[in-house]
Amino acid sequence: RLRGIGDANARLLRAVGVASVGGLAASDPAELAERLRAVTGTAVVDARVRVWVRAARSAVREERYPSTTMAPASPATSSPISAAGRPIPVSSSTS
């Protein structure tokens, strides 16, 4: 559930084919506002639709990449990471 989108607005969004937060996040705000105007026959505030889409995109980002606090890796067990994100082999030399 997104803030600012109650039952009435959710019904309108479903009426224009937007049935999920992901679908809303993938929508173009201006195009979505046009589709809503066509369905409702009334003025739809573009800024409100932009806020809905922005909130959906933020929710999708948070769902994919939740903000959690991660414990730092132990220096004894961590490996250096390359720019490509792959571990760099580290050989231990014993003398």
Side-chain angles (χ1 to χ4, degrees):
R1 199 99 198 202
L2 291 176
R3 187 175 175 193
I5 300 180
D7 292 336
N9 289 327
R11 278 192 296 276
L12 286 175
L13 289 168
R14 281 192 299 275
V16 295
V18 178
S20 68
V21 173
L24 180 58
S27 298
D28 174 78
E31 195 262 350
L32 180 57
E34 270 305 310
R35 289 179 14 220
L36 287 165
R37 275 191 276 282
V39 166
T40 64
T42 61
V44 174
V45 180
D46 286 12
R48 178 177 291 171
V49 175
R50 280 193 305 273
V51 168
W52 294 347
V53 171
R54 204 173 300 132
R57 289 176 181 167
S58 178
V60 167
R61 254 192 321 276
E62 288 297 315
E63 187 174 303
R64 286 190 189 147
Y65 307 104
S67 58
T68 58
T69 304
M70 296 179 62
S74 165
T77 60
S78 64
S79 298
I81 304 294
S82 72
R86 296 185 194 95
I88 299 171
V90 177
S91 61
S92 58
S93 58
T94 55
S95 303

